[in-house]
Amino acid sequence: EIDLAGQSPRIKQLFLQLRDAILAESCVRIAYCGRESAGTRVVEPHRIVCKWGGWYLIAWCRLRRDFRLFKLARIERCETLGERFERRSIPEGMLKPHPTEPPCRLRAWVDASLRYRAEEDCERCETAADGRLLVEKCFANPVQRLDVELWRRHRGDRAGSASERNP
């Protein structure tokens, strides 16, 4: 059994739905909001893995005709289709951990309108007297550090750094 205690109810439900689709070898249609685009895709789910501090679906994407990683937090909707698929071999590189550097702990002030994202993505989320949120997250590798920089840029003036230090 996997402990999903720290996950939001939406992620827990999605995790269980995808697990069932994997076991049944059933295709799913997902509405996915990626870094650069959003859209709907039909995928063949093969495995759920924990990488970079989050849950990801490893699936054969019929649009791209290749295996892709889909972060569960970015899947907005998921519909199990009755269509079955044949399992494919997952490329070995997708299952290996990425090289890591010493972790980096980020503390940032975030506008209250981003609470849903902060509660989903951060280990700590506290409300300040002025309504802003103080969030904290540890990033274990450079890929995650890049992700937080993109997150900051995307959020514009609604997110700012409180501090960044090695734990």
Side-chain angles (χ1 to χ4, degrees):
E1 193 68 24
I2 296 174
D3 181 7
L4 297 172
Q7 301 297 314
S8 70
R10 185 182 73 77
I11 295 296
K12 288 178 187 177
Q13 189 276 328
L14 180 60
F15 187 99
L16 297 174
Q17 182 181 5
L18 290 169
R19 179 203 61 191
D20 292 346
I22 291 167
L23 293 173
E25 296 178 342
S26 181
C27 294
V28 295
R29 178 179 293 117
I30 59 172
Y32 190 75
C33 183
R35 282 194 182 134
E36 298 174 7
S37 66
T40 303
R41 300 180 185 200
V42 173
V43 300
E44 301 171 2
H46 280 66
R47 189 174 291 181
I48 300 171
V49 295
C50 186
K51 287 181 174 248
W52 308 295
W55 290 102
Y56 288 80
L57 171 67
I58 297 177
W60 177 265
C61 177
R62 290 190 171 175
L63 176 67
R64 301 289 184 216
R65 302 184 60 102
D66 198 2
F67 275 99
R68 292 288 193 260
L69 280 174
F70 298 96
K71 188 173 184 177
L72 267 58
R74 293 185 181 150
I75 298 175
E76 296 175 341
R77 286 184 315 283
C78 180
E79 174 189 0
T80 304
L81 308 174
E83 182 183 348
R84 293 189 47 130
F85 64 88
E86 279 192 43
R87 283 201 187 276
R88 303 168 191 263
S89 295
I90 299 171
E92 190 175 318
M94 292 191 100
L95 301 174
K96 288 183 180 179
H98 285 275
T100 61
E101 292 182 1
C104 174
R105 183 158 300 280
L106 171 80
R107 295 181 68 203
W109 290 104
V110 178
D111 186 82
S113 67
L114 298 174
R115 178 178 292 282
Y116 75 96
R117 179 76 189 258
E119 288 177 344
E120 186 176 274
D121 288 348
C122 300
E123 289 103 20
R124 183 174 150 204
C125 178
E126 296 177 10
T127 305
D130 65 1
R132 292 184 306 157
L133 305 174
L134 178 61
V135 297
E136 190 169 327
K137 182 171 176 89
C138 186
F139 294 91
N141 63 49
V143 172
Q144 287 185 318
R145 291 181 196 177
L146 175 61
D147 193 38
V148 80
E149 286 304 316
L150 293 170
W151 191 73
R152 279 184 189 159
R153 287 186 204 141
H154 179 68
R155 299 299 179 241
D157 62 354
R158 295 188 292 166
S161 180
S163 71
E164 201 170 307
R165 59 180 164 75
N166 289 335

